[in-house]
Amino acid sequence: MHLPSLIERKREGGRLSRDELRAIISGFTAGEIPEYQVSALAMAIYFRGMDAEETTALTDAMLHSGSTLQWPTDAPMRVDKHSTGGIGDKTSLILAPLLACDRLWVPMISGRGLGITGGTLDKLESIPGFSTQLTEAEIHRIVIKVGCVMVGQTPNLCPADKKLYALRDVTGTVPSIPLITASIMCKKLAEGLSRLVLDVKYGSGAFMKSREQAEALAKSMVSVGNLLGVRSSVCLNAMDEPTGCAAGNALEVAEAVECLQGRGPSDLEATVLDLCVAVSVSSREELAGWLRDGSAWRKFCEMVEAQSGDSSKLERITQVHRAPVIREFRADCSGLLTRVDAGTVGRAVLELGAGRAKASDPVDFAVGCDQIAKTGTEVAAGDVLLRVHARTLGAAESALDLIATGMVIE
Ligand code: URA
């Protein structure tokens, strides 16, 4: 294989074959192909794109760059969802135990927050003792016992993606639909799934700003999933305002607990049920019933305990992590609340310390926003439209100033 010729071919808009992509990914993972050549190839892919067959071959090559979770042939269906990320998106915390109530297995491998979007692992790690770094043997044991597990990536799953993503991150080649598709799908397919639902978000608080971009990514991911043997479907969701009424790690766990106990905000519950219905064998009514009758809540507690977390702290997680300063944002006039901009709330929450500007930053579990009012609400002057939880008075004031730019009352 003469790599410069392959780079040139892609640069000129040509195609790479399945065998060529497999050789590139295995050589890169083994450290035999230098990063500068893979960077150049990633840039050529960024400009020239890949067709569905190439994207599928790239995903398959990345999927087989390490181990995959293996399940017995008579195991229940394995299901999962992937979200492209949003503000206040705590749906995974509710969806995994809810699907486990349906006797499905949910081996959910999640990521950490980066930029304005929060990460499931960061939220879960706000639960005292909760371990997100498990071995593949531990993942199997907990899925078989509980029905769901929520963990970080293991070193053996898709090592090619780890290396390639790090390179894309510093070479301006992240926003490429084939590269995003391969990166996301190889990690999900490594879970050994039967069905997958993709929650692709668009809007000010999402990675994809327009519905057209989100549709293109959704189409690419669904096609790769189906071609690689996993029944895949998509829910396109606007991310113009935060999901639910809380954004920030422990604040979102508190809201997820309410939803698991059948008392969640209606938009959050509806999103969870839409996603569950896409992979479940039960009806929406049955799924909603497991939120109302305590089954999903008990399943979540069981999973938390299996992952060494202290489930007795869940119902008072906001006391375990209590920010020293809590300030209210109040309506300055009466009228209809027409905008609670997700991107603005996301930036405020990031600046309060709940998220990461770069991958190595620590996160503050206590800070964020709660009691976030929903658009379409009639408000009176002086009503509380959200609360800011901050480390310092200065941080709270800056967050309130920023949030004011994203609220519209008409
Ligand atoms: N998330 C991923 O895992 N990979 C990408 O390329 C983009 C988002």
Side-chain angles (χ1 to χ4, degrees):
M1 187 179 63
H2 183 242
L3 207 64
S5 310
L6 302 187
I7 297 169
E8 284 168 23
R9 196 194 310 150
K10 183 44 79 184
R11 186 194 68 200
E12 298 308 312
R15 297 185 69 255
L16 299 173
S17 72
R18 170 173 297 271
D19 288 346
E20 286 164 345
L21 286 163
R22 193 168 290 169
I24 295 167
I25 292 300
S26 83
F28 176 56
T29 311
E32 290 154 6
I33 298 180
E35 294 193 339
Y36 52 81
Q37 285 184 313
V38 177
S39 306
L41 182 63
M43 190 57 89
I45 295 170
Y46 173 88
F47 281 114
R48 291 299 193 166
M50 281 181 144
D51 65 22
E53 213 179 307
E54 281 179 294
T55 310
T56 306
L58 176 63
T59 310
D60 200 35
M62 286 168 60
L63 167 65
H64 291 107
S65 66
S67 59
T68 56
L69 298 183
Q70 300 292 328
W71 305 101
T73 43
D74 59 351
M77 276 210 303
R78 278 85 53 213
V79 300
D80 196 6
K81 73 113 188 174
H82 174 80
S83 167
T84 55
I87 312 303
D89 180 10
K90 68 283 290 173
T91 52
S92 292
L93 273 59
I94 306 144
L95 171 139
L98 184 52
L99 289 171
C101 292
D102 199 8
R103 299 187 188 284
L104 300 167
W105 281 1
V106 191
M108 187 183 281
I109 296 175
S110 298
R112 297 188 182 281
L114 190 58
I116 60 170
T117 55
T120 299
L121 299 183
D122 297 326
K123 296 167 202 182
L124 287 167
E125 284 174 358
S126 72
I127 303 167
F130 192 94
S131 171
T132 58
Q133 297 308 310
L134 304 185
T135 63
E136 285 169 33
E138 288 167 328
I139 293 173
H140 278 104
R141 186 179 57 75
I142 295 174
V143 168
I144 292 167
K145 180 167 176 269
V146 181
C148 57
V149 73
M150 300 178 81
V151 290
Q153 208 177 333
T154 73
N156 297 336
L157 292 176
C158 308
D161 175 61
K162 202 167 183 180
K163 264 188 107 170
L164 184 56
Y165 190 86
L167 207 57
R168 288 166 57 211
D169 201 24
V170 292
T171 56
T173 51
V174 169
S176 148
I177 286 189
L179 294 177
I180 297 171
T181 299
S183 168
I184 290 175
M185 294 303 285
C186 74
K187 288 176 288 203
K188 284 288 142 179
L189 300 185
E191 296 174 359
L193 299 179
S194 323
R195 294 182 179 183
L196 173 67
V197 59
L198 297 154
D199 178 12
V200 181
K201 305 210 186 275
Y202 60 94
S204 77
F207 183 49
M208 294 287 170
K209 300 297 171 206
S210 74
R211 189 178 165 103
E212 291 68 37
Q213 287 175 316
E215 275 170 352
L217 178 61
K219 190 165 162 239
S220 170
M221 293 198 294
V222 166
S223 135
V224 165
N226 286 322
L227 286 168
L228 292 177
V230 176
R231 203 192 83 168
S232 306
S233 54
V234 70
C235 292
L236 277 188
N237 280 307
M239 181 35 74
D240 295 323
E241 69 175 321
T243 304
C245 306
N249 299 299
L251 295 168
E252 289 190 46
V253 171
E255 187 166 73
V257 166
E258 283 171 17
C259 193
L260 284 159
Q261 295 177 339
R263 297 181 285 112
S266 57
D267 66 323
L268 173 62
E269 185 178 300
T271 303
V272 170
L273 292 175
D274 288 346
L275 294 165
C276 285
V277 163
V279 288
S280 164
V281 286
S282 297
S283 68
R284 193 180 184 92
E285 292 64 37
E286 282 171 294
L287 289 158
W290 292 319
L291 293 175
R292 309 266 173 272
D293 71 6
S295 306
W297 164 238
R298 284 191 294 277
K299 187 58 79 181
F300 184 66
C301 292
E302 210 186 318
M303 183 194 77
V304 166
E305 292 290 331
Q307 295 189 232
S308 313
D310 182 352
S311 64
S312 71
K313 300 272 177 15
L314 286 170
E315 285 174 292
R316 46 191 185 88
I317 194 80
T318 53
Q319 285 146 36
V320 174
H321 301 286
R322 191 172 168 76
V325 179
I326 301 178
R327 285 284 174 279
E328 291 166 340
F329 180 91
R330 291 179 179 272
D332 57 3
C333 61
S334 301
L336 183 67
L337 184 62
T338 55
R339 187 158 158 250
V340 181
D341 184 63
T344 310
V345 174
R347 272 196 303 286
V349 170
L350 172 67
E351 282 170 25
L352 284 164
R356 295 188 177 79
K358 56 179 191 310
S360 54
D361 289 345
V363 298
D364 187 334
F365 294 136
V367 299
C369 296
D370 70 352
Q371 297 183 16
I372 305 172
K374 304 306 292 182
T375 57
T377 311
E378 279 291 343
V379 300
D383 282 357
V384 174
L385 300 186
L386 63 70
R387 297 193 312 173
V388 163
H389 298 240
R391 270 294 139 203
T392 64
L393 198 51
E397 298 295 340
S398 306
L400 290 169
D401 288 347
L402 179 56
I403 284 162
T405 66
M407 294 278 193
V408 178
I409 300 169
E410 287 175 305

